[in-house]
Amino acid sequence: MRKNSIKSIRVNAEVQKELSNIIRSEIKDPRISPMTSVVTVEVAPDLKTCRAYISVLGDEKAQKDTMAGLKSAEGYIRRQLAGSLNMRLTPQIQFILDQSIEYGVAMSRKIDEVMKR
């Protein structure tokens, strides 16, 4: 499966959608912030591993707590993913903190400050 093939794009989108639903509605861990979103998902061509880029709105402590909560719930998330997706293999999930949204907001604020001057 090539990186940008139709199948690859479809698998990534479906895993992202289901992962978002699981994190939002099924995990009851108080460490996980309610303002957590799945930015993008990259499933490996062999369907054995998956990188999930997670964005957390909040301070650094909330981000660390959310990542720790997701890492501890990885087995449960994988089991739920296996039940909701019709895939031969359920990928091993690696959660990666994505701070691109925060970076974009900070840059937008700086641009606004410069434009006011």
Side-chain angles (χ1 to χ4, degrees):
M1 182 167 65
R2 288 179 286 144
K3 186 170 183 164
N4 292 327
S5 69
I6 300 292
K7 180 181 176 185
S8 171
I9 292 169
R10 243 208 250 127
V11 167
N12 290 340
E14 193 63 29
V15 170
Q16 180 180 357
K17 184 178 90 171
E18 290 300 324
L19 197 56
S20 294
N21 287 338
I22 292 168
I23 291 172
R24 184 187 53 211
S25 63
E26 297 183 23
I27 296 181
K28 305 296 185 222
D29 193 336
R31 294 178 290 180
I32 297 175
S33 170
M35 298 300 290
T36 302
S37 61
V38 180
V39 178
T40 188
V41 171
E42 294 176 356
V43 179
D46 61 357
L47 303 176
K48 290 184 180 179
T49 60
C50 167
R51 289 183 177 176
Y53 293 91
I54 307 295
S55 176
V56 180
L57 191 63
D59 60 348
E60 190 173 329
K61 183 183 181 319
Q63 293 174 352
K64 286 183 180 180
D65 288 346
T66 299
M67 294 309 288
L70 288 173
K71 187 161 180 65
S72 70
E74 181 184 346
Y76 174 78
I77 294 170
R78 189 172 180 201
R79 193 168 40 255
Q80 294 300 107
L81 202 59
S84 62
L85 294 178
N86 187 14
M87 293 175 61
R88 188 171 0 123
L89 298 171
T90 304
Q92 182 77 28
I93 305 168
Q94 176 187 9
F95 295 105
I96 300 169
L97 183 62
D98 184 17
Q99 297 178 330
S100 63
I101 294 174
E102 285 183 24
Y103 179 75
V105 169
M107 290 305 291
S108 179
R109 285 185 189 145
K110 289 179 182 179
I111 291 170
D112 290 342
E113 287 175 12
V114 169
M115 295 301 286
K116 287 180 182 177
R117 293 182 186 170

